[in-house]
Amino acid sequence: MPEIKQILFLVALQGLLFLPARAQSGAFPAPSPVAAQTRNASIPPEKSQPVRVPRFDKAPVIDGKLDDEAWRQAAVFKDFLQTKPGDNIAPSRHTEARAGYDSRTLYFAFRCFDEPDKIRATVAKRDAVFSDDNVRILLDTFNDQRRAYVLGWNPFGIQQDGILSEGEDQADYSIDIVMESKGVIDNEGWTVEVAIPFKSLRYKAGKNQLWGIHILREFFRFDSEVNSWMPDSREIASTLSEAGHLTGLEGISTERTLEVIPSITISETGNRVATLPPGAPGLDPGRFVNEPLKFDPGVTLKYGITPTVTLDFTVNPDFAQVEADQTVITANQRFPIFFEEKRPFFLEGIEIFRTPLQAVHTRAIVDPDVAAKLSGKLGRNSFGLIVASDNAPGNFSPDERTRPANLRFVDKNAYVAVLRVKRDIGNKDSHIGFLATSYNFIERHSQLAGLDGRFRIDPKTYAAFQVLGTTSRRCFFEPEKDLHRPAINEPCFVNRNTRNYYRTGNGFGYSYELDFTGRNVGWRLNGNGLTQDYRAEVGFTRRTNVNSHNAFIRFSNDPRPKATLISWRLTGALRPAFDWQGHLLSWEAQPEIDLQLKHNIQIEGGLVFGYERLFEREFGPVRTATQSGAFFGAPERSTYYRAVTFDIEASPSEKVSAEFSVQYDNNSFDFDFGAEPKYPRVSPAALADPDAPLDPGPGKGLNIEAGISFQPTDALSASLNYEKSRLRRHDTGLLAFDENIFSFRSTYQFSRFVFARARVDYETIESNARAQLLFGYTPNPGTAFYIGYNDDLNYKGLNPFTDQFEPGFRRNRRTFFIKMSYLFRKSF
């Protein structure tokens, strides 16, 4: 009966609350609720027709000065409109852009009028220019309104490049293309010149062929004002469909381009090892042992078969990450944590493989000996194929290699394949797609296949879906079965109490979405579900046996650029979740208000009301007549919780920006995992017996994130961030955990291509500090030289050999490395 009442309550609430629709017009301009002075977004006659790009007789010199003869004959783009915070009104300052081309290169120039002493420009690293004044273009080189290059430059000509896929809220800036640019600040403002080789792009050209284009300029000091060459209608929920067009790109030299990037990493690593045998009495201080010098060569090749199809191939790739993953809160986490892909080989064409259910996450290919990728577009068909041989599953440490359970896996490789095909439908951003993946390792086999689609219903509405089927032959956890005691050579052996069974499992996954984005009202219905045996070994999966549904609604005003309160937005959210047996797992309702004020200040506040239900089968064995369950006491737990949230972001000057967010929870669950070494389990069951089954219970939680960034000079930047997560149980009054992370970053940019960087992360539960010093020279994508030093230390932390606390600093690991790569580029 309580379940029926909760479901009826959800149905009633769902009729009133829907979560806000996605941001207007994608990521450009930014999708916050912004001011409108007029509802008209009519296109002037001179912009409604394609702009013919002239062919230059002589290429301009890329020095940032617009004094070359070529620019006199270039196509001119002027009469920009303010599209944020204003609604197609007169801009605060004027902008002009020019374009031309020759057989090998596309050229752009920008004249941005402004007061020289008020321009915000720093010697930023690549892809970090959008915090400065900047210009950028969106180039839809297939004119299919599905995908566009995003290329941007600050007043010094420092570059940012990425891919915007229609329907995504943010562009992906992980890719790098080879281009040349230079900027100059003068008495009238600033200028930028750009040369983009056609061989750096995937494109379709020829007589009467059109390219979509947006040209945008952003000012920091005018509340992040965005000016656009094309009008931006807030009645159209699409960015690329509102683009202008280029034509005349004819007679381009058709070249096959081969890029070869040999690389080598030289490293020397030291590790702390035990000095006493296992079980010996006393505190083992350990000793530090330096490993032999390691040379790790590799090579990556890229071959442009046609302007639209590219083959990538790599042998022993250098996938050492120059920048490590961010330190994150791990206490009381039930499910895996997602980390972004950073490796250049996999980032080429990565947008082709992205789908709502994240069935492809290339970080599942950990350390390939060899890998190849074919990707591109032929007519209306986009495709991608990845094959790889990954040695990570069979790569064990010296101690692990001798364990009997691992012997049959040592030095064996996993074989991975991914196939993706998408076909454009109609003239808008609609498609139908097919995806298949295969992962094969000893006693771990997984195959996946399915369909997906996205359909533009009208300018404000789209629908999307995905369905996937999986079949796996692997170890599955079986909580319902009695204790299984396999022989030592039996598949899935972990220990004598394992409940993993080697069998075949078939799974199913689905995703759906219906989105309406209007000027002042928007709504979205979406959700997804995965069965218990769903496995996507080449993807990322947080949870199985779940159906999650979401309903969103947004109400917003027509923002006022000159007012103190520029805009407001009210949102509501309802998120129920059920398992495949029909049990309600959770529900959450969240009203929120978002205020945009002058001086780049944004404030958000909200309430959260929810319910969560736990079953012991999700945590371990189910109790039967012959075995105990995963939970102490009742096999099911539930709690009604509530929370208050507050967020503020401010950039009061070009020197300083700050952000702060806090969430206070009441009755959120402690899952009774403990957070060793400082926080043992504090449930009533664990206090009586540290080895007792799990005893989850509610408590009071506090989550804080705060950060400040400081730019004292054009070349020096620094940031300090703090993250806290704490939970105190109601029943015992004790802290379940209190995790704090401090992160410091600083970069000195000697020039556009030379920098020194320092970072330090400190995490309090393990009393662990990680530091990195890095010097880099990166003149272009593919060519780089790094010298780095990484250190890992404990301060009054846990001895890894005795599990006892020890005083002072103790080094766990340190690495010195030199990493070099060079781009050889040849056209045929």
Side-chain angles (χ1 to χ4, degrees), residues 420 433-437 448-452 466-469:
R420 173 66 166 158
F434 171 78
L435 175 68
T437 71
L448 173 150
L451 299 174
D452 64 278
Q466 183 173 19
V467 290
L468 294 172

Side-chain angles (χ1 to χ4, degrees), residues 588-818:
E588 189 171 84
Q590 183 176 4
E592 190 172 87
I593 186 169
D594 177 0
L595 306 176
Q596 184 71 44
L597 297 104
K598 297 287 287 183
H599 308 300
N600 295 294
I601 299 174
Q602 182 168 332
I603 299 175
E604 297 180 12
L607 302 173
V608 182
F609 305 94
Y611 168 82
E612 186 170 12
R613 188 180 185 188
L614 307 180
F615 297 92
E616 66 178 359
R617 65 171 181 271
E618 299 179 279
F619 295 80
V622 173
R623 62 193 65 196
T624 68
T626 58
Q627 71 177 12
S628 59
F631 283 176
F632 178 87
E636 178 185 323
R637 310 291 166 89
S638 64
T639 181
Y640 290 91
Y641 63 89
R642 55 192 178 275
V644 179
T645 65
F646 176 80
D647 302 84
I648 183 170
E649 297 180 19
S651 300
S653 74
E654 63 181 33
K655 302 292 185 183
V656 179
S657 62
E659 57 184 357
F660 175 81
S661 66
V662 60
Q663 177 169 320
Y664 174 78
D665 303 314
N666 190 26
N667 281 351
S668 57
F669 262 123
D670 165 39
F671 301 122
D672 200 22
F673 298 150
E676 297 288 357
K678 288 189 175 180
Y679 297 96
R681 296 166 55 200
V682 294
S683 65
L687 292 177
D689 177 7
D691 296 322
L694 297 177
D695 188 10
K700 291 184 178 180
L702 178 65
N703 296 278
I704 296 174
E705 292 185 32
I708 184 169
S709 298
F710 184 49
Q711 181 104 29
T713 70
D714 289 347
L716 177 63
S717 62
S719 65
L720 179 64
N721 295 279
Y722 170 68
E723 188 173 359
K724 180 185 187 69
S725 183
R726 185 184 73 190
L727 181 66
R728 184 180 297 275
R729 288 184 65 123
H730 290 315
D731 47 18
T732 63
L734 299 175
L735 272 178
F737 59 88
D738 186 358
E739 187 165 10
N740 300 270
I741 297 175
F742 300 86
S743 300
F744 173 77
R745 307 282 187 274
S746 182
T747 300
Y748 191 87
Q749 206 74 38
F750 297 96
S751 70
R752 291 176 59 182
F753 309 125
V754 181
F755 67 88
R757 186 182 307 159
R759 62 175 287 176
V760 179
D761 296 286
Y762 180 71
E763 190 273 325
T764 58
I765 287 184
E766 295 187 359
S767 301
N768 177 253
R770 294 186 300 163
Q772 181 185 69
L773 298 174
L774 182 69
F775 172 84
Y777 171 61
T778 55
N780 60 57
T783 299
F785 175 78
Y786 299 102
I787 298 177
Y789 177 77
N790 296 335
D791 215 339
D792 186 307
L793 307 97
N794 286 346
Y795 177 65
K796 296 183 180 179
L798 198 69
N799 185 298
F801 314 115
T802 63
D803 289 337
Q804 300 177 37
F805 286 97
E806 56 189 357
F809 283 98
R810 292 291 188 273
R811 174 173 284 114
N812 302 314
R813 180 182 177 89
R814 62 118 183 94
T815 301
F816 175 82
F817 67 90
I818 298 175

Side-chain angles (χ1 to χ4, degrees), residues 553-564:
I553 193 166
R554 164 185 61 87
F555 301 97
S556 58
N557 71 325
D558 285 336
R560 299 168 295 172
K562 304 300 182 182
T564 300

Side-chain angles (χ1 to χ4, degrees), residues 142 144 204 308 377-383 422-424:
F142 290 94
D144 59 8
K204 186 176 181 181
T308 65
K377 184 165 186 175
L378 296 173
R380 288 180 168 268
N381 302 307
S382 300
F383 63 90
K422 291 169 61 178
R423 181 169 178 81
D424 298 341

Side-chain angles (χ1 to χ4, degrees), residues 38-45 47-48 81 88 229-233:
T38 174
R39 291 177 179 268
N40 296 322
S42 58
I43 301 175
K47 299 181 182 182
S48 62
L81 299 168
N88 301 303
W229 176 62
M230 290 295 292
D232 175 25
S233 172

